[in-house]
Amino acid sequence: MKDLTELARALREATHVCVLTGSGISAESGVPTFRDAQQGLWARHEPTDLATPEAFARDPDTVWQWYRWRRRLVAEAEPNPGHHALAELASWHGNLALITQNVDGLHQRAGHPDVIEFHGNIHRNLCHREGKPVTVDDDTERPPTCPQCGAPVRPGVVWFGESIPQKALDAALDAAGSCELFIAIGTSATVYPAAGLAEIARDNGRSVVEINPDATPMSDHADLILRAPAGEALSALLQAIKD
Ligand code: BV8
């Protein structure tokens, strides 16, 4: 309880807040986290084997079908109390920047404005040759072809070994560099450069908070930890703010 009260006070006092979310915040919506996304059909694949340009070049159909499976799963999912509480906290605070590593679009569906999509969005598709967004029927067995040039279409996400889109990277670096309070929610803090954002805040002497039921590599560097699921912690935080 003490930590919750302390975090509520820090939120009231901070003029700039930066939040980084990972797949843990979507776990309570039934969307498997990245580490446990390998269920059933996909048990024989490692995400880092599928979410790469090399995998798409080698076996476009399998990679495409993995994303189709995830899109269908996300379409069935609903934003959970964690997404909703965070959207309410953002609207209450007025200067809370949200950076998400998630590609599921659930923050937006919870009404969260201005989401920085650090790793893209699974509902967006790009021409593999031009890199431009294309509108296609993506519920297909094989990658569709680009309506403009006929090249294969790929998911609009950032794969391992690919750079973060410049606009998202600049916005995230600015938010992490100018915040007084950095809150990491539901991330294993293992993928860079996303995980490095907390380090920027810490190196600037800012308060770093972790909300996660499990410990992560950033736990030792956190000033405050809510060792709880995101839905429970964020709903309690919203209540504490209102009290
Ligand atoms: C880059 C989109 C420059 C796709 C993703 C060696 C070779 C090449 C590269 C590297 C290398 N070593 C390091 C790198 C860099 C690499 C990297 O970091 N690799 C890792 C594996 C070491 N990064 C990159 O390649 C990045 N680009 O560096 O560009 C460059 C350019 C050219 C060449 C080289 C470098 C791009 C990385 C982006 C990859 N794309 N996603 C897709 O979704 O298909 S990453 C993907 O995995 C997610 O987006 C997310 O970022 C990450 C998973 O992390 P989490 O979200 O944290 O999820 P995870 O499952 O790990 O953890 C869940 C957490 O939730 C847990 O802690 C759990 O306890 C908690 N939890 C569970 N339930 C709850 C909960 N929390 C709260 N409430 C709950 N209920």
Side-chain angles (χ1 to χ4, degrees):
M1 190 52 185
K2 178 180 79 61
D3 289 341
L4 195 66
T5 311
E6 204 176 311
L7 181 51
R9 182 188 52 73
L11 258 171
R12 284 197 194 91
E13 288 174 3
T15 52
H16 290 69
V17 179
C18 183
V19 173
L20 171 71
T21 60
S23 60
I25 196 169
S26 294
E28 293 162 70
S29 296
V31 179
T33 64
F34 216 77
R35 296 286 172 276
D36 61 29
Q38 306 323 315
Q39 295 168 346
L41 180 62
W42 302 103
R44 63 184 185 283
H45 293 284
E46 265 303 304
T48 41
D49 290 343
L50 286 171
T52 69
E54 294 76 17
F56 189 68
R58 184 177 61 244
D59 186 354
D61 294 2
T62 297
V63 172
W64 184 259
Q65 285 156 25
W66 183 51
Y67 282 94
R68 183 180 63 162
W69 171 70
R70 291 172 62 193
R71 266 194 295 273
R72 284 179 172 176
L73 200 145
V74 166
E76 295 300 309
E78 289 296 327
N80 65 60
H83 294 108
H84 288 296
L86 189 56
E88 268 198 67
L89 280 168
S91 141
W92 166 82
H93 186 274
N95 206 334
L96 181 151
L98 173 62
I99 306 158
T100 189
Q101 300 170 88
N102 301 338
V103 297
D104 57 32
L106 288 177
H107 284 299
Q108 291 91 323
R109 283 173 55 194
H112 206 117
D114 311 323
V115 180
I116 300 171
E117 294 182 312
F118 208 61
H119 292 155
N121 188 309
I122 201 167
H123 303 295
R124 249 198 308 278
N125 291 298
L126 307 175
C127 168
H128 192 243
R129 180 181 297 146
E130 307 283 324
K132 292 190 187 112
V134 289
T135 304
V136 289
D137 166 16
D138 56 15
D139 195 23
T140 54
E141 279 285 314
R142 313 194 59 189
T145 52
C146 170
Q148 273 73 44
C149 73
V153 166
R154 56 159 289 172
V157 300
V158 179
W159 280 328
F160 288 100
E162 292 187 320
S163 301
I164 306 303
Q166 198 58 49
K167 195 162 166 281
L169 182 61
D170 293 345
L173 291 172
D174 178 49
S178 59
C179 70
E180 289 97 29
L181 179 62
F182 186 97
I183 307 173
I185 306 170
T187 181
S188 62
T190 50
V191 172
Y192 283 82
L197 296 167
E199 293 161 16
I200 293 172
R202 188 194 66 216
D203 295 347
N204 287 348
R206 309 307 190 186
S207 301
V208 173
V209 175
E210 177 175 71
I211 298 179
N212 192 322
D214 303 327
T216 73
M218 73 170 283
S219 301
D220 291 345
H221 309 293
D223 301 289
L224 193 152
I225 293 174
L226 298 186
R227 200 51 88 216
E232 175 191 315
L234 291 168
S235 303
L237 180 59
L238 186 64
Q239 194 50 55
I241 290 282
K242 289 175 177 170
D243 287 351

